[in-house]
Structures are given as structure tokens and as C-alpha cells.
Amino acid sequence: MIWVLVIFTMLTSLWVSHLTIRVARRRRFGTDESSGVQKFHTHWVPRLGGVPIFVAIFSGLLFGAWVTKQGLDITVKLLISILPAFGIGLIEDVTRKAGVGSRLLMTMVAAGLGWWLLGADLNRLDLPYVDGLLAAVPLFALGLTLVAAAGVAHAVNIIDGYNGLSGFYTFIVLVSLALIGSAVGDDLIVRTSLLSAAAVAGFLVWNFPFGRIFMGDAGAYMLGF
């Protein structure tokens, strides 16, 4: 069943990416500038790749939970947690008016929602004394989680702009997480990681090698988170 969901998610991303490119070109919005230290392109490119990736992940996870009758509650909570990181990135992609501080704050809000709704926190680093502090002071673990999530999200955003780099990087990371999840029997990690990787794969068809669409802040912050 999981491979049916993977194919469904990849095809959804592929089609919605194509649709996004056409609509953005026709309406001339979401354009990425061609000047700057991270810019390597000279042609017109929309930076709205986060939209098809989000739509594909959203539909794939919900469809999978509905078909298998498993994990619907936790899937909804995960998608709710993603929304602040995705939303602030999309605002920046469309308006170019979301400041760095706002983006940093909203990725932390997303991590906070994950901590609250899913109990997702960094409570062990296998470092002497540090692990004891994380266990003894939950707020310290929460603070570390917020900083780590925001840091990774921004790191992915930095490498977006070079055709295929951010997409292939996140694809490899997600597949690796799926393999780890399979090894320890964590079905949620396997499903979430594989379907997210499939969504990235559909996007990469249009992103590499010719760069017809970029991941943008919405995609980078969402996948980094």
C-alpha cells in the first residue's frame, strides 16, 4: 500500500508543479530575482515550488491515513504543525515582505506546535551532563528544539536557488529517515518521510536540470522543519 501512496504523491507533485508554473507565468507572480549571491539563473523562474510539495504531502498523508484507517489524528496534528513554517515562507515568496525575524519566529512557532501536539522534542543528545539537563529541565529541551528546527529550516533555505541542490539534499535526507524508521519499526516516520520524498521527486522533474521552478521559502522552510 505504501508504494501506491508514494506514486500517488509523486504524480500529484508533478502535476501541481506543472500547473503552478503555468499559472505563475500567466499571472507573472512569485518570480525569483536573478541577481544575488545565491542566484545562478538568468531566465524567468517562479519560486513557488513549496506549493505543489505541500499539496502533495498534505494529500498523500491524509489519503494514506484515510485508506489505512491508521494515524489520522497524528497526521492532522503534524500537518497543523507544518502550517506556520509553510505559511510564512509562502508570504515571503509572493510578497517579498516577510522579514528574516518573522520567518525565524514562525519556524519556531511550528516547532512549538510539534512539541505541544506531538510531544516532539530533543530530549537526548548523548552528551554527558547535557542529557541530564534536558531530562531535568523540560523548558531547556523545548528551547533546544525550537532553535534546532529553525536552524535546519534556514539551512535548507540557504541552498535553494541552485538547480536540484536543495531538492536532492532533502530527498536523500528523507529517504535516509525512512530507512531508519523502518529499522526501528516506526511506521509514522516511514510513511511521512517516503511521501515527503515522493513530493520532492515530483518537484525535481521541473527543477533539475533546467530550473523551471524553485522550491522557494515555503518549500525550504517546510521541508527543513
Side-chain angles (χ1 to χ4, degrees), residues 112-151:
L113 284 173
W115 171 80
W116 178 45
L117 296 174
L118 299 167
D121 63 345
L122 288 172
N123 52 34
R124 194 189 77 215
L125 297 178
D126 288 335
L127 294 175
Y129 307 111
V130 175
D131 286 358
L133 180 61
L134 291 172
V137 186
L139 285 179
F140 183 70
L142 171 61
L144 179 62
T145 302
L146 300 184
V147 172

Side-chain angles (χ1 to χ4, degrees), residues 25 67 72 92 116 124 185 189 199 208:
R25 182 179 293 276
V67 170
L72 179 60
E92 170 64 11
W116 178 45
R124 194 189 77 215
I189 291 295
F208 182 83

Side-chain angles (χ1 to χ4, degrees), residues 49-69:
V51 173
I53 294 174
F54 175 78
V55 170
I57 293 175
F58 188 94
S59 57
L61 285 174
L62 285 182
F63 181 56
W66 177 69
V67 170
T68 61
K69 301 297 190 294

